[in-house]
Amino acid sequence: MTLRPWRLLRTTALSLLAVLLAAILAAWWLLAGSRAQLDGTVQLTGLAAPVGISRDALGTVTIDGKNRNDISYALGYVHAQERYFEMDLMRRLAAGELAALVGPAALPVDLNHRRHRLRAVAQAACAQLPPAQQLTLDRYRDGVNAGLAHLRVRPWEYLLLGSQPRPWRCEDSLLVIAAMYLDLNSDGRNERELHIAEMRAVLPGALVDFLLAPDPNWEAPLAGQLSPAPVIPTAQVFSLRRQVAAPVSARVLAAVAPALDEARPGSNSFAVGGALTGTGAAMLANDMHLGLRVPNVWFRTRLRYPDPTAPGGERDVNGVSLPGTPAVVVGSNGQIAWGFTNSYGDWADWVRVQRDPAHPQRYKVPEGWATIARHDERIRVKGRPDVILAVEDTRWGPLMGKDVDGTPLALDWIAHYPRSYNLALMQLERTTDVASALNLAATFGMPPQNLLVADSAGQLGWTIAGNAIPRRGSADPLLPYDGARTADGWQGWASAARYPRIEDPADDRLWTANNRTVDGAALALLGNGGHDLGARARQIRDDLRGRTRFTPVDLLDIQLDDRALLLARWQHLLQQTLIGARDPALRQMRRLTRDWHGRADVDSVDYRLVRAFRDQVSTMVLAPFAARVQQRHGDFSWPGQNSAEAAVWAMVEQQPMQLLDPKYASWQQLLLDAARQVAGALGRQPGGLAAGRWGERNRSDIRHPLSGALPGWLRRFVDMPEQPLPGDNNMPRVAAPGFGASERLDVSPGHEAQGILEMPGGQSDNPLSPFFGAGHRDWVEGRPTPLLPGKARYSLTMEPAKR
């Protein structure tokens, strides 16, 4: 009698265990069913000849085919099997269609992006592509849909979301390019220029010029002169101490601090000529800085196909492709190697639109009146009713904002033009030398980038890649202009002859790092869309000038340079500020920063303290100016992508009383207060100031897009391990939580066997894939990972279907 309850309990427990095991096995079976097919033979319609697909231990895919169209088909097949969900996210992000898949949380993003109507732009761009490019997209599309159809189970993310994947269309590949426009061009908002207009509407022009001035101490242009030193406005021009004080609230501080050193899409790219390599071939390094996720945005790819212009008659392309497109974006083809960095030119302008008071749907244009086009965009929201977004469109673009006087503003942005999208970049696969590559650059339908090219003959060169550089009229490009005036607006597109270009520099070195590269007429053509301060570029330039011989490992060493040269003067300022301080916390801060190691190392306490001091001083110095602008424009925040280092340093160094926050009697008082606030904030953590290492703040945070929807214990199966990272944003080794080098490539064309390609986040999005997270640890630790694939572990043959 007494055993029956225990038998019942045991039976219940065993039943529950069986149900749990069944659930685990079912989950495993479903997850395993969405893995890519790695071995065997598949027969597919659409192929002209057999294609071989092999993978090494990292998942690097090698595709061998008889022609590039079959290669495009096979690449689409592989991309879909390994990355379809991420491809879907990118096309939906650009089109403003995320909420239909993931629900209301994505609606704000959709509302912003749908205003641009980029799906309609992509459809128009597809229709006007040259026939050869249309065929390439068709072959890639067919391969993508075949790869998706050949999965036993749809990708696991759709199981989690309870959704079915939609087929791939040709326009979707151009929407992936549109997603890069959004990422590299301030999310299509152009808020920086709105905030500059707000500053100029409130503050004297000379003061705004000073506050936004570049810093010649850190510039490293490829050509031209350094900017002039910033000029501090006199008390007659402006004085904070003669004005009624504008309160510096927490809201004001929040409007300043995030913009000062924000992580922004960018890159490093640099090259050395054949005279410096020992092989006679030039050598290139490229690391593109983007938001990081699981899996990585890029895909390790090798393509081989017949080409009579290639050495040995076979084209052998190694690099990274962009899933969603058939292109190898950066890499080496045995004769040239190429890489990109974001140019930060000015690719969008605000246009003042004068509506007809009697007929509000009309607006003034140079030749008279035009009618505003209205588009009711239906945004589907999973689990909710559809949302209708009314988009009012002008000849310049959609109405998206208001000028400082309330006049409606339309956004004229190159991403709105179908000409801005094509596959001309793919021609680099078969280009044989630097000059030919630079000649092609002005045909590429992509966000305008710095293009760096190195060739096997030892030459190197730079230009701007992108076929949509506007020729501007007479208006100030950083302020809204009057659309009714013909002379103010865009006057068409720049010809290739006007693109700045450098070939074979005298010292055999080139570098770009989102900094200003040129001056004069070339700078006027490209514009200033928020150039980087230049500290990173200058450090790379000086690293290059510090050596006379280079190997790929030497270039990787420069990419991993985490020396904090910019902060050396701030460390000295902090030491001087704290002389004689009586507060025990400030005395401890001085002691901890006295021996300056000068690196953003994960164990560095001195770097974290000095960096925090610089940030705090900058925020406090700029806040009174931001407060004045916010009084009239409540949405104001400091213009992003515009370092204030020049103005802040000039003020703390020269200490002009007219620009000091009136609540302080002296600049020393402000500096002490800044140090005190840093000590208070960091001193509250366990272990106090001495325990505040840089790596505790600067952690990897590389996650799968859906990990936030999973229970905490499951996230570790789809995210990369949380790890401290060395580096920061004003040095070559750029690193921030969820942001950094999306790849590190170092290669000399013709010598790919010695090349390096590091990549975070792995090759596959399936946690059961042997390539999930593969290579990530090498990226974290900076260990050289070979560019060329290793021994083939898996081989798949694709054959034309028998008729």
Side-chain angles (χ1 to χ4, degrees), residues 271-607:
V272 293
L276 303 177
T277 64
T279 66
M283 191 179 297
L284 175 133
N286 181 248
D287 49 295
M288 296 180 283
H289 308 148
L290 298 168
L292 304 178
R293 58 167 170 77
V294 177
N296 190 34
V297 65
W298 310 115
F299 195 82
R300 298 177 67 103
T301 302
R302 185 181 198 178
L303 309 178
R304 295 190 295 203
Y305 54 92
D307 179 3
T309 67
E314 180 183 65
R315 182 58 63 192
D316 187 354
V317 184
N318 290 272
V320 294
S321 58
L322 175 60
T325 77
V328 173
V329 177
V330 302
S332 181
N333 70 7
Q335 292 170 299
I336 67 165
W338 66 95
F340 296 103
T341 65
N342 199 15
S343 62
Y344 280 97
D346 186 3
W347 313 124
D349 284 333
W350 291 107
V351 185
R352 290 169 58 88
V353 178
Q354 300 177 34
R355 300 185 89 142
D356 184 348
H359 303 281
Q361 287 306 109
R362 298 203 312 170
Y363 64 101
K364 194 166 181 58
V365 296
E367 64 272 20
W369 296 95
T371 301
I372 290 175
R374 179 186 170 102
H375 306 278
D376 289 330
E377 293 288 317
R378 181 178 296 276
I379 300 178
R380 303 194 182 281
V381 184
K382 183 179 180 182
R384 297 266 186 94
D386 295 351
V387 173
I388 304 299
L389 174 67
V391 178
E392 292 187 302
D393 218 348
T394 71
R395 63 170 53 178
W396 305 291
L399 295 176
M400 288 181 53
K402 291 186 176 181
D403 204 354
V404 292
D405 63 357
T407 300
L409 294 175
L411 183 66
D412 202 355
W413 180 30
I414 62 173
H416 293 154
Y417 293 82
R419 66 171 286 127
S420 301
Y421 303 85
N422 63 42
L423 301 182
L425 166 68
M426 293 177 63
Q427 296 175 85
L428 290 178
E429 288 183 16
R430 302 179 64 177
T431 303
T432 59
D433 57 71
V434 163
S436 299
L438 300 187
N439 290 341
L440 291 171
T443 69
F444 297 170
M446 60 183 287
Q449 302 285 291
N450 293 299
L451 169 65
L452 227 58
V453 186
D455 70 24
S456 57
Q459 313 301 307
L460 61 158
W462 162 88
T463 190
I464 295 293
N467 69 350
I469 296 180
R471 291 189 294 111
R472 286 187 165 85
S474 57
D476 184 337
L478 296 182
L479 295 176
Y481 69 83
D482 187 351
R485 290 170 49 88
T486 304
D488 286 354
W490 293 5
Q491 312 291 312
W493 307 100
S495 66
R498 294 191 61 192
Y499 281 45
R501 174 171 174 153
I502 296 174
E503 288 184 71
D504 299 325
D507 66 348
D508 282 310
R509 296 167 175 87
L510 287 173
W511 59 89
T512 67
N514 317 121
N515 55 306
R516 176 177 67 82
T517 53
V518 291
D519 67 357
L523 179 59
L525 174 67
L526 303 180
N528 179 4
H531 295 130
D532 186 79
L533 170 65
R536 182 160 42 94
R538 198 191 83 165
Q539 198 160 327
I540 291 170
R541 179 201 67 187
D542 293 347
D543 283 346
L544 291 173
R545 289 177 175 175
R547 307 184 191 210
T548 58
R549 274 285 183 271
F550 294 88
T551 66
V553 172
D554 295 326
L555 297 190
L556 177 63
D557 286 344
I558 295 175
Q559 292 173 315
L560 299 176
D561 182 0
D562 61 6
R563 291 174 301 141
L565 302 187
L566 175 67
L567 290 193
R569 64 186 186 183
W570 287 93
Q571 182 267 347
H572 179 73
L573 177 65
L574 178 59
Q575 287 289 301
Q576 293 299 114
T577 298
L578 298 181
I579 291 175
R582 297 182 180 181
D583 185 324
L586 295 184
R587 295 177 67 179
Q588 183 187 23
M589 180 185 285
R590 190 168 195 270
R591 185 171 64 254
L592 289 171
T593 57
R594 181 184 298 121
D595 296 327
W596 176 239
H597 298 95
R599 287 186 177 275
D601 182 75
V602 294
D603 293 322
S604 176
V605 174
D606 55 337
Y607 179 83

Side-chain angles (χ1 to χ4, degrees), residues 121-250:
V121 175
Q123 289 170 342
C126 263
Q128 65 184 40
L129 286 176
Q133 293 187 28
Q134 289 184 347
L135 178 60
T136 297
L137 279 186
D138 288 346
R139 295 295 81 212
Y140 181 78
R141 173 206 61 202
D142 293 345
V144 168
N145 290 327
L148 181 63
H150 277 71
L151 290 173
R152 179 166 58 81
V153 178
R154 65 187 185 269
W156 67 269
E157 295 92 345
Y158 296 99
L159 297 172
L160 182 65
L161 293 169
S163 301
Q164 292 287 340
R166 296 186 325 193
W168 196 258
R169 297 191 286 189
C170 290
E171 73 214 41
D172 292 334
S173 291
L174 301 188
L175 280 170
V176 171
I177 299 175
M180 299 307 293
Y181 272 100
L182 287 165
D183 197 18
L184 299 172
N185 290 181
S186 304
D187 203 32
R189 295 174 182 267
N190 201 26
E191 290 179 329
R192 173 176 175 268
E193 291 185 4
L194 288 178
H195 295 320
I196 290 175
E198 290 169 341
M199 291 179 75
R200 293 202 176 277
V202 175
L203 303 173
L207 176 61
V208 178
D209 291 342
F210 168 70
L211 293 173
L212 301 181
D215 192 336
N217 293 308
W218 298 103
E219 290 182 317
L222 291 176
Q225 303 300 310
L226 300 180
S227 299
V231 177
I232 295 177
T234 64
Q236 287 70 36
V237 172
F238 182 83
S239 176
L240 284 169
R241 309 182 83 78
R242 289 206 311 260
Q243 310 273 338
V244 176
V248 177
S249 62

